[in-house]
DNA sequence: AAGTCGGGGTG
DNA sequence: CACCCAGACTT
């Protein structure tokens, strides 16, 4: 029995991969070359495309990313185009994808690349690592996939695959186990095909070595796997205890007016730094806990008296928050203006392409739906 | 080492 | 529901 965080060489020596690293690499790679999915960022040969895809894929599944990636590349085809854009345009493209800080990092890094690297992505692990938003995983992914360097990667898929292959017990996030995962990734990556090898590990985790019921009978490396041998591959890795989801309440008012070009809606940017920082939203008051804010509080936010009708309520779940929102609707005169420069009128047909979060999109859909009934 | 930060897919 | 996802960054 190996304890958590055993040295990499001991873990490797005690496994079925010992002395057969070449065979392991060949088995994994030939499966990958046969079974891999066609994805829009694969085989493009453009480090910028690899970078964009890897940032989008952070904590986000492949199927979700595909459309966003294609729209992004059409709008910002290269580093220079991204660097020249303003932040709102960047957030418009990211709208709905979540973790908006990633979009800001991508944008900021593009400026750094133009100003300090002559417009070319750094081609070393250390250079990539200096870019905002590029951590150990993403640096390894770009280095191996775009530049052919034998850099290791460890993501959620690799953790699961290695925990099973090598029977790594204990909390996979512990420092000791992280050292094991990174050490194994470094020891196993095929220097001839580092990018394909790394992608193969992740694709195996995503499609075969899945969390609940892994498809071991389809696995190209099951002969090397301690989890398969044990008969209980799904027992690893150990699942971490999740922190509690805190309740939140909010009141949002969808304020409309008839502008010269049809109906317009009042929106403003959220505070920087917090949840959904900088995204446009309807006038909203949020509160931690289960007590509802009052409509008056939204009115004072706007500096006006609001005559509004409640049109519904919806729930939105974040990873660590559960937010219930009461939605009101108010129509104001076409001459309505607001002293606070935070607020601005957006034509209804432009809202769907604005820099709004999925939550704001849901609120809008709900208010529209009630209008017609 | 623990918390923060979205959103969607899945059993 | 709960869990997970081609994580990074802050405290």
């Amino acid at each position: 029995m190996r304890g958590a965080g055993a040295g990499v060489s001991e873990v490797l020596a005690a496994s079925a991969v010992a002395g057969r690293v070449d065979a392991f690499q060949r088995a994994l790679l030939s499966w990958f070359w046969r079974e891999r999915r066609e994805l829009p960022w694969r085989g493009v040969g453009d480090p910028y495309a690899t970078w964009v895809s890897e940032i989008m894929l952070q904590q986000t599944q492949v199927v979700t990313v595909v459309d966003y990636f294609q729209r992004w590349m059409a709008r910002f085809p290269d580093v220079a185009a991204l660097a020249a854009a303003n932040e709102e345009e960047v957030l418009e493209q990211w709208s709905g994808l979540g973790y908006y800080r990633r979009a800001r990092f991508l944008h900021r890094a593009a400026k750094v690349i133009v100003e300090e690297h002559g417009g070319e992505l750094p081609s070393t692990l250390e250079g990539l690592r200096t870019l905002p938003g590029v951590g150990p995983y993403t640096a390894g992914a770009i280095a191996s996939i775009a530049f052919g360097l034998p850099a290791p990667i460890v993501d959620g898929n690799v953790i699961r695959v290695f925990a099973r292959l090598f029977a790594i017990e204990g909390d996979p996030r512990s420092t000791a186990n992280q050292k094991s995962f990174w050490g194994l990734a470094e020891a196993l990556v095929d220097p001839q095909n580092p990018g394909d090898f790394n992608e193969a590990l992740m694709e195996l985790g995503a499609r075969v070595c899945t969390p609940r019921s892994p498809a071991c009978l389809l696995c190209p490396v099951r002969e090397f796997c301690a989890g398969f041998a044990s008969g209980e591959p799904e027992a690893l890795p150990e699942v971490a205890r999740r922190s509690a989801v805190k309740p939140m309440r909010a009141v949002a008012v969808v304020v409309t007016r008839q502008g010269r070009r049809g109906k317009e809606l009042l929106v403003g940017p959220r505070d920087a730094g917090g949840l959904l920082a900088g995204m446009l939203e309807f006038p909203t008051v949020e509160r931690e806990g289960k007590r509802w804010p009052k409509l008056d509080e939204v009115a004072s936010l706007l500096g006006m008296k609001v005559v509004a009708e409640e049109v519904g309520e919806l729930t939105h779940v974040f990873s660590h928050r559960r937010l219930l929102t009461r939605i009101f609707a108010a129509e104001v005169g076409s001459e309505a203006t607001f002293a606070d420069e935070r607020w601005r009128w957006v034509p209804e047909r432009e809202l769907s392409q604005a820099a709004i979060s999925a939550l704001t999109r849901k609120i809008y859909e709900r208010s529209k739906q009630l209008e017609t009934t």
Side-chain angles (χ1 to χ4, degrees), chain A residues 191-259:
Chain A
Q192 305 302 315
N193 307 281
D196 283 354
F197 179 86
N198 286 337
E199 288 198 76
L201 270 184
M202 296 189 284
E203 186 129 345
L204 187 72
R207 298 175 59 199
V208 175
C209 196
T210 54
R212 309 291 167 88
S213 41
C216 295
L217 295 183
L218 300 177
C219 181
V221 293
R222 65 172 179 270
E223 64 177 294
F224 301 95
C225 185
F228 177 64
S230 78
E232 290 191 328
E234 66 283 352
L236 290 172
E238 185 179 291
V239 296
R241 190 173 56 80
R242 308 194 81 65
S243 56
V245 175
K246 294 180 188 165
M248 276 180 80
R249 297 290 183 272
V251 168
V253 182
V254 180
V255 185
T256 57
R257 74 171 188 185
Q258 285 302 324

Side-chain angles (χ1 to χ4, degrees), chain A residues 41-108:
Chain A
W41 49 84
R42 277 193 176 151
V44 176
D46 174 11
Y48 169 72
T50 304
W51 173 43
V52 170
S53 71
E54 291 299 342
I55 299 293
M56 287 188 170
L57 285 161
Q58 289 170 4
Q59 294 291 283
T60 308
Q61 296 188 334
V62 166
V63 289
T64 306
V65 167
V66 170
D67 289 344
Y68 279 91
F69 175 81
Q70 288 176 320
R71 283 197 299 268
W72 183 280
M73 294 302 287
R75 175 66 185 80
F76 308 120
D78 50 40
V79 177
L82 178 55
N86 65 46
E87 183 161 295
E88 184 161 344
E89 293 174 308
V90 169
L91 290 175
E92 284 169 11
Q93 291 303 310
W94 207 270
S95 169
L97 192 55
Y99 284 127
Y100 297 94
R101 191 173 56 163
R102 295 182 293 173
R104 264 182 265 276
F105 283 151
L106 206 47
H107 189 208
R108 208 194 306 163

Side-chain angles (χ1 to χ4, degrees), chain A residues 105-303:
Chain A
F105 283 151
L106 206 47
H107 189 208
R108 208 194 306 163
K111 292 176 187 282
V112 171
I113 292 167
V114 166
E115 289 164 13
E116 299 178 20
H117 297 93
E120 300 289 331
L121 228 64
S123 58
T124 66
L125 213 48
E126 302 73 34
L128 289 163
R129 201 58 188 78
T130 67
L131 299 175
V134 177
Y137 161 78
T138 306
I142 299 171
S144 60
I145 296 168
F147 297 113
L149 300 172
I153 55 141
V154 174
D155 75 329
N157 290 302
V158 175
I159 286 172
R160 189 170 53 254
V161 169
F162 281 180
R164 291 171 179 170
L165 270 169
F166 303 105
I168 294 173
E169 299 172 354
D171 183 351
R173 297 170 309 174
S174 73
T175 306
N177 274 336
Q178 282 294 312
K179 273 184 74 174
S180 296
F181 290 125
W182 281 96
L184 288 165
E186 186 164 15
L188 294 177
V189 62
D190 179 359
Q192 305 302 315
N193 307 281
D196 283 354
F197 179 86
N198 286 337
E199 288 198 76
L201 270 184
M202 296 189 284
E203 186 129 345
L204 187 72
R207 298 175 59 199
V208 175
C209 196
T210 54
R212 309 291 167 88
S213 41
C216 295
L217 295 183
L218 300 177
C219 181
V221 293
R222 65 172 179 270
E223 64 177 294
F224 301 95
C225 185
F228 177 64
S230 78
E232 290 191 328
E234 66 283 352
L236 290 172
E238 185 179 291
V239 296
R241 190 173 56 80
R242 308 194 81 65
S243 56
V245 175
K246 294 180 188 165
M248 276 180 80
R249 297 290 183 272
V251 168
V253 182
V254 180
V255 185
T256 57
R257 74 171 188 185
Q258 285 302 324
R260 280 188 301 279
R261 298 166 314 184
K263 192 163 138 187
E264 297 174 330
L265 300 94
L266 191 66
V267 297
R270 290 178 63 95
D271 292 338
L275 197 61
L276 304 171
M279 303 301 288
L280 295 176
E281 68 173 2
F282 303 118
T284 301
V285 173
E286 285 171 5
R287 173 167 301 163
E288 299 280 343
K290 295 187 174 180
R291 294 184 48 213
W292 290 99
K294 288 187 165 52
L295 183 57
D296 289 349
E297 297 176 60
V298 187
S300 63
L301 197 68
L302 294 169

